[in-house]
Amino acid sequence: MTISKVRVLMAAYLAVFTLVSAVVFVGCTTAETEVVEVIKEVVVEKEVVKEVEVPGATVIKEVVKEVEVPGATVIKEVVKEVEVPVTQVEVVDLDPGKLVIYSGRKESLIGNIVTQFEEVTGIEVEVKWGKTFPMATMIIEEGANSPADVYIAQDPGGLGFLSNAGRLHTLDSDITDRVVDWAKPDDNSWIGLSGRSRVLVHTDGMTDLPVTLKDLTDPKWKGKLGWAPTNSSFQTMITGMRQMWGEAETRQWLEDMLLNEPIIYPKNTPQVAAAAAEEISIGLVNHYYLHRFMAEEGTTFNARNLYMSNGGPGSLIMVAGAGIVDTATNVDNAEKFLKFMTSNVAQQYFAGQIYEYPVVPAENGVKTHYLIPDLTTLNTPDLSMSDLADLEGTAAIFKELGMLD
């Protein structure tokens, strides 16, 4: 006996999306065949294709094709449809879109983790690199036409400047709750991404070291100090100093420092190199620059950090942070970016590769690099992120004293 062929054709599309796709499971059916022998004059070869209605999926219809088969044993087919559940994956979001970032942090520090976000999500990321305050000023000047979705700052000052101007979104709690209290402002307009401590970097082997920033005004340090007045982290430290010491005492300290003729540098990195080369004895910098040198040159690198223990502005812990610009057109992707940057993956990058402090709770398991002291061992001043926002006031003092070009 010859059994005619029944061909059941089904089609499904399967796609995999890595982070932001929604996956929906739907049921569909296929068919099985039950054969009953009946004597007839002809043999019919029947092609059966079952139509299945699945929203968003391919629809296939039933087609019956009869062909006489001469000289064959006679049979009749009866096709019995049997419902068989099949799992199908339907992809909802195939275009992850784009994201525009204005960054006041250098590409050498955060470029790799931004690229990792782009690779993981498929979101097209465009970054404009610059300095913290000029990037913030650019967003203000561009107004409602600014293409920026996310603003990243080296310190709280630039973020506070934009927040005070009403140019940052208020962030949802599912973003802000990921970050510890000391690394975010009360108004939830931005969050910290990593923490940095102010230190004095000095030539290795020095024993007669200052205890407070006021000690640096001693004439014995004349021509032996370095600073970077245009650096936003230095400006943020002075902003904290104004909060702690008051305007008059801060201005006096700056004037006394100028009498010691500090060597002016454009940023932190060359101060560390100058201390190691003994071109200066002490520079005013953030802690992590030294460890980047030591990672390349080893522990014989001729400079060390002094973490000041008196709880003054020289012991300030600052955060690099980010917020969503109020005119952002890619808000969903901006929120995904902030969540990624506060994920364990990104936080471990900041701690392990950049030697910065994580800003997520300790129970998350992100470890501070073994080369830097635990944050709980530092005597830091009691200043909020809002206390560090007035960079404009600090810049005005610098201009009056001739510290800025």
Side-chain angles (χ1 to χ4, degrees):
M1 176 184 304
T2 302
I3 302 176
S4 66
K5 301 177 181 177
V6 178
R7 294 182 292 169
V8 180
L9 306 178
M10 299 294 294
Y13 288 91
L14 175 64
V16 177
F17 186 57
T18 57
L19 180 60
V20 298
S21 301
V23 178
V24 181
F25 292 91
V26 296
C28 62
T29 63
T30 184
E32 294 181 355
T33 302
E34 177 181 305
V35 179
V36 179
E37 183 179 357
V38 179
I39 303 299
K40 279 186 60 177
E41 296 298 326
V42 296
V43 175
V44 176
E45 179 178 327
K46 184 182 293 185
E47 181 175 337
V48 179
V49 184
K50 168 77 173 153
E51 179 175 4
V52 182
E53 294 289 343
V54 179
T58 303
V59 177
I60 307 170
K61 64 181 180 178
E62 180 180 54
V63 178
V64 179
K65 180 181 179 182
E66 297 185 352
V67 180
E68 290 191 2
V69 183
T73 304
V74 181
I75 65 170
K76 177 182 177 182
E77 292 181 326
V78 177
V79 177
K80 181 179 180 181
E81 297 175 358
V82 180
E83 297 292 329
V84 179
V86 178
T87 298
Q88 178 177 329
V89 180
E90 179 182 347
V91 176
V92 175
D93 185 3
L94 293 176
D95 181 7
K98 64 181 295 185
L99 181 69
V100 179
I101 298 173
Y102 279 25
S103 178
R105 297 211 76 186
K106 295 185 294 184
E107 185 176 5
S108 60
L109 292 175
I110 66 170
N112 288 341
I113 197 65
V114 172
T115 298
Q116 188 169 348
F117 168 79
E118 187 173 23
E119 291 173 348
V120 167
T121 63
I123 294 171
E124 179 186 351
V125 180
E126 176 185 335
V127 185
K128 183 184 289 290
W129 304 100
K131 292 187 176 182
T132 290
F133 201 72
M135 287 286 100
T137 302
M138 185 180 300
I139 291 173
I140 296 292
E141 292 175 348
E142 290 171 343
N145 295 322
S146 177
D149 297 309
V150 171
Y151 169 65
I152 298 176
Q154 181 175 317
D155 54 71
L159 290 156
F161 173 71
L162 277 189
S163 179
N164 291 340
R167 293 306 310 273
L168 295 179
H169 272 293
T170 299
L171 302 176
D172 292 337
S173 60
D174 63 339
I175 295 175
T176 59
D177 287 351
R178 303 164 71 93
V179 176
V180 293
D181 289 342
W182 61 262
K184 60 188 175 185
D186 294 336
D187 65 1
N188 292 332
S189 59
W190 55 272
I191 57 170
L193 302 182
S194 61
R196 293 90 46 71
S197 175
R198 290 298 291 181
V199 297
L200 299 183
V201 64
H202 61 87
T203 305
D204 191 18
M206 290 179 58
T207 56
D208 185 19
L209 293 170
V211 177
T212 74
L213 289 182
K214 292 180 180 180
D215 293 340
L216 295 177
T217 62
D218 190 307
K220 71 180 182 180
W221 297 114
K222 187 171 184 177
K224 299 179 180 180
L225 303 175
W227 67 4
T230 61
N231 179 262
S232 61
S233 292
F234 179 78
Q235 292 177 9
T236 298
M237 184 191 74
I238 301 302
T239 303
M241 183 184 292
R242 290 167 53 212
Q243 290 287 330
M244 298 184 72
W245 293 358
E247 300 290 341
E249 190 172 349
T250 298
R251 181 184 288 267
Q252 185 63 56
W253 181 83
L254 290 169
E255 291 175 350
D256 292 343
M257 285 288 288
L258 288 170
L259 292 176
N260 270 343
E261 300 177 0
I263 299 174
I264 298 174
Y265 293 92
K267 53 187 179 180
N268 289 318
T269 304
Q271 292 185 71
V272 178
E278 302 184 18
E279 296 171 5
I280 59 174
S281 296
I282 293 174
L284 289 83
V285 300
N286 293 336
H287 79 275
Y288 59 93
Y289 289 97
L290 171 67
H291 299 294
R292 300 188 74 205
F293 274 100
M294 294 179 72
E296 293 182 3
E297 302 188 28
T299 57
T300 59
F301 184 71
N302 190 36
R304 293 294 183 268
N305 281 338
L306 173 64
Y307 292 82
M308 309 198 77
S309 60
N310 69 318
S315 306
L316 184 65
I317 296 292
M318 302 178 299
V319 295
I324 300 177
V325 181
D326 67 321
T327 52
T329 57
N330 301 293
V331 174
D332 287 347
N333 285 346
E335 291 178 343
K336 291 169 186 172
F337 178 76
L338 295 187
K339 290 178 180 178
F340 177 81
M341 296 296 273
T342 51
S343 68
N344 279 15
V345 170
Q347 288 295 294
Q348 197 59 65
Y349 168 82
F350 287 121
Q353 302 296 317
I354 311 299
Y355 309 97
E356 296 181 323
Y357 289 102
V359 296
V360 294
E363 54 265 29
N364 284 28
V366 180
K367 302 297 184 182
T368 299
H369 198 282
Y370 73 93
L371 288 176
I372 64 177
D374 190 275
L375 198 58
T376 59
T377 67
L378 303 181
N379 184 17
T380 60
D382 185 19
L383 291 172
S384 69
M385 294 300 103
S386 300
D387 291 332
L388 305 175
D390 186 23
L391 283 188
E392 286 183 294
T394 297
I397 296 174
F398 284 11
K399 289 178 180 178
E400 291 175 14
L401 297 177
M403 296 171 60
L404 297 178
D405 294 334

